[in-house]
Amino acid sequence: MARQRLSAVVMTHPRRREAAEKLSLSAPSGLLRVVMDPDPTGTPSVLRTALAAWSAIEDGATHQLVVQDDMVLSESFFDRVRAAIEERPDAALALFALWDSRNGAAVRFGAMAGARWVGAVNEYFPCVAIVLPRRVAEGFVTYGRERLGGWPDDILMHRYLRAEGVPRYVAVPNLAEHQDRGSISGNAFRGPRRSVCFLPHDPVTSEAPALTNLPVVPFFKHGVAQVAVRLPGPGPERRLHLDADQYLVGAGLPESLLRPPGPRRAESDERGTWLTALAMGFEAARAGLPAGPPAGTRAYEEALATIGTGGISNDSTEEHLARRRAPLAALARRALRSGREAAAEHRTPGTGRRTRMPRQETTPLGEHLLRRLADRGVAVEAEIDLTRLEDPDRPRVTISWAGEPAPNVLYIGELYGPGCPHHTPIGRLVWDALRSLPVTVEGAPATERYPLYVHDLADAIETVLRTRPRRRDFVVAPEKPCTTAELAQAVHEAVRPVPVHGDPTATSGPAAPPNGARPPGWTPATSLRRGLHAHAQWLAYEGVLLTSDS
């Protein structure tokens, strides 16, 4: 006999009422009610409508299901949802995850393992199709009403669930698929937004199998293969944001294996797909996950097939993605096998390239810098002082050698990227764009700026450590600056297309770094757009958890 009772609504705006009513009619009679935006002429706000939807839970219901109006539901949707809330009555259940997300990457591992649910990782918690226990839904209504006009509902949901200690799971395969009908909330710029793994005819089976606590999550997003690596230790989960090639080299894989096979130069989507699936195979083997798809399921093949298309979806058409799906899926399968074979050759502890970094108290920024040096196999025979990285006047890194009277000093530009806080001039631009607020240009529009990405600083430190130059002082900054106006426009393009405002009272901006020599052979390699997107990712999913809850 069922112990749990489900209440369900589809949330919508009057402009999309027809789509919501059509979705409602696809459900068992009377189950899926329509909830409208309570202020349809106001500033577009998914959170405002979501709070109305969570408030609409029926008397006597133990759980509330909220679905957005642009979703397609699997044939077994309600049967699986009912079975899932019986199996996990205290959990938040996401029924959809994007194909380029970290939670989507976790779903891929779940598909390998034959799991029906995976533990969510540090990211926004997907809210386009979601079930919450009654007490959690009611608590989120109170929490969200105090935070209207700030973060999107999915980031707020992650913060709330994490703070309350609510277990979080994502369905394998997903129970819903997204239809792109335009975006009232301004997400159309992201390109096609599809499920990591959707099977319209997924059969009903046990909802018990689950996979949790994934230490390494490889994903392909915005054309870049990345991994989110869980940091060890007690306390709430924290993850480093690393490039996949950096992680794999640090784990001991030869650089020749990081290139897709074949005589010709790989396309960028091929390289990203290869690195992501290579890392997946490597980690799956080390975790003891099955080498092939579980019998009787198609979730594994579908999950692999979305790696490449998801990774380039931000600037691709539906037609281009359809053409690339099959060849990239074949490449992913081959890379997965190569990753498993590589893991078999690295079973002995200590066979990786990663070196041990000196013990010192570090910030999130220091953790990212030191991890990159460790992954690149840098032997540190000097003391690295990172305490002046945020000096407002002359940010710098000092490298002191035993037995030498003077240290090497690296004077740096405006640092940004994973680990960097939101209260710096660049951080404030990114922080506002993440919350859909206008970004304000600080300083005269023509002021020269020298943005420096975290990885490029780590590479400059590596150059000095490896070459031990006689020259003592260096400048670590782009040779060609950008202007303040160009920086703000880059945030507009890389983070979110919000309005850009100028400050008419501002007459100057951050001081440019002094003229001087750069470390021998070093040059920054990260484009401003790529770096700003990575900075935004870290701030939204990790940095936000280190700030006051507002």
Side-chain angles (χ1 to χ4, degrees):
M1 183 175 179
R3 296 166 296 171
Q4 313 300 326
R5 180 185 166 196
L6 184 68
S7 166
V9 301
V10 52
M11 53 179 275
T12 191
H13 186 278
R15 284 188 289 174
R16 300 220 297 226
R17 181 169 191 158
E18 183 178 350
E21 291 176 343
K22 182 179 179 180
L23 179 57
S24 176
L25 291 172
S26 72
S29 179
L31 178 58
L32 197 54
R33 297 165 290 124
V34 174
V35 172
M36 305 289 287
D37 184 343
D39 184 17
T41 61
T43 302
S45 170
V46 173
L47 178 60
R48 181 177 61 231
T49 310
L51 295 180
W54 291 118
S55 300
I57 187 168
E58 294 178 326
D59 291 342
T62 61
H63 290 76
Q64 178 76 330
L65 163 68
V66 173
V67 181
Q68 294 187 6
D69 58 34
D70 52 359
M71 305 304 290
V72 176
L73 310 184
S74 70
E75 291 181 359
S76 59
F77 182 91
F78 288 100
D79 290 334
R80 279 203 64 190
V81 168
R82 288 192 178 97
I85 63 176
E86 293 291 337
E87 183 68 37
R88 295 181 172 80
D90 299 322
L93 304 176
L95 312 178
F96 171 91
L98 279 170
W99 52 6
D100 63 351
S101 66
R102 292 155 190 73
N103 282 313
V107 167
R108 292 191 178 99
F109 281 117
M112 285 187 203
R116 296 295 266 177
W117 296 90
V118 292
V121 298
N122 270 14
E123 196 183 38
Y124 61 88
F125 193 71
C127 288
V128 295
I130 176 178
V131 181
L132 295 181
R134 182 183 198 101
R135 66 168 183 82
V136 178
E138 292 172 342
F140 182 69
V141 171
T142 301
Y143 180 89
R145 282 175 177 164
E146 298 172 351
R147 293 162 177 82
L148 283 165
W151 290 100
D153 66 325
D154 48 12
I155 291 181
L156 281 181
M157 182 65 75
H158 171 55
R159 296 185 74 173
Y160 170 71
L161 296 175
R162 175 171 159 135
E164 294 296 314
V166 178
R168 296 162 283 139
Y169 293 91
V170 185
V172 185
N174 288 174
L175 305 186
E177 177 61 291
H178 186 263
Q179 298 182 93
D180 285 306
R181 294 197 179 109
S183 176
I184 291 175
S185 59
N187 285 320
F189 75 97
R190 300 185 188 279
R193 292 165 284 158
R194 294 285 182 267
S195 162
V196 60
C197 178
F198 175 68
L199 300 180
H201 310 297
D202 180 49
V204 177
T205 61
S206 170
E207 298 297 324
L211 180 67
T212 59
N213 300 317
L214 291 167
V216 178
V217 179
F219 61 100
F220 185 26
K221 186 180 181 73
H222 275 237
V224 181
Q226 303 165 71
V227 293
V229 179
R230 191 178 64 205
L231 287 165
E237 176 185 322
R238 292 194 305 123
R239 289 185 181 263
L240 294 175
H241 287 201
L242 312 175
D243 288 348
D245 53 357
Q246 168 197 331
Y247 176 79
L248 290 168
V249 168
L253 275 64
E255 295 195 19
S256 60
L257 189 58
L258 308 188
R259 297 188 294 273
R264 63 184 180 84
R265 182 177 179 182
E267 300 293 332
S268 59
D269 61 356
E270 293 174 335
R271 175 170 167 76
T273 301
W274 177 266
L275 285 170
T276 305
L278 185 70
M280 284 180 58
F282 185 75
E283 291 302 325
R286 298 212 297 184
L289 299 187
T297 74
R298 293 183 293 114
Y300 175 88
E301 289 296 332
E302 180 60 24
L304 281 189
T306 62
I307 294 174
T309 48
I312 60 172
S313 61
N314 63 295
D315 60 359
S316 297
T317 64
E318 294 276 15
E319 294 74 19
H320 179 71
L321 294 174
R323 287 194 301 270
R324 296 300 290 157
R325 176 182 163 103
L328 293 178
L331 186 66
R333 287 192 291 271
R334 186 170 179 179
L336 199 77
R337 290 194 298 271
S338 294
R340 285 187 171 277
E341 292 167 0
E345 299 173 4
H346 292 79
R347 295 189 183 279
T348 304
T351 57
R353 177 178 174 179
R354 190 173 303 123
T355 58
R356 185 180 297 277
M357 287 289 103
R359 291 180 59 85
Q360 58 177 295
E361 184 176 347
T362 60
T363 63
L365 172 56
E367 289 171 337
H368 280 86
L369 287 169
L370 295 178
R371 177 56 184 256
R372 185 168 179 87
L373 293 172
D375 280 338
R376 294 175 67 88
V378 179
V380 177
E381 299 175 353
E383 180 181 342
I384 306 173
D385 184 356
L386 304 176
T387 60
R388 306 305 293 272
L389 278 173
E390 296 183 40
D391 189 309
D393 298 320
R394 298 193 77 186
R396 57 194 179 274
V397 173
T398 302
I399 302 174
S400 302
W401 304 90
E404 297 194 11
N408 289 110
V409 181
L410 280 58
Y411 296 99
I412 66 175
E414 290 186 75
L415 200 58
Y416 72 103
C420 293
H422 71 282
H423 55 69
T424 65
I426 293 178
R428 285 192 290 271
L429 294 175
V430 174
W431 192 254
D432 285 345
L434 282 169
R435 296 177 295 158
S436 299
L437 301 175
V439 299
T440 301
V441 173
E442 298 182 15
T447 299
E448 292 185 343
R449 307 286 287 269
Y450 291 81
L452 177 67
Y453 188 58
V454 168
H455 290 181
D456 291 326
L457 172 58
D459 294 348
I461 295 172
E462 177 188 358
T463 296
V464 172
L465 291 172
R466 290 194 186 280
T467 62
R468 199 165 177 170
R470 291 184 178 181
R471 185 184 180 96
R472 291 304 174 190
D473 294 351
F474 295 98
V475 171
V476 181
E479 190 169 3
K480 183 180 179 182
C482 67
T483 66
T484 295
E486 289 169 342
L487 176 60
Q489 183 61 29
V491 171
H492 171 92
E493 295 171 358
V495 182
R496 195 173 184 88
V498 295
V500 177
H501 295 165
D503 181 356
T505 64
T507 58
S508 63
N515 294 326
R518 286 167 174 76
W522 173 85
T523 185
T526 309
S527 71
L528 184 58
R529 182 170 180 175
R530 152 80 177 106
L532 287 170
H533 181 76
H535 191 183
Q537 286 184 132
W538 184 83
L539 282 176
Y541 309 145
E542 299 288 338
V544 71
L545 301 174
L546 304 176
T547 66
S548 60
D549 190 12
S550 59

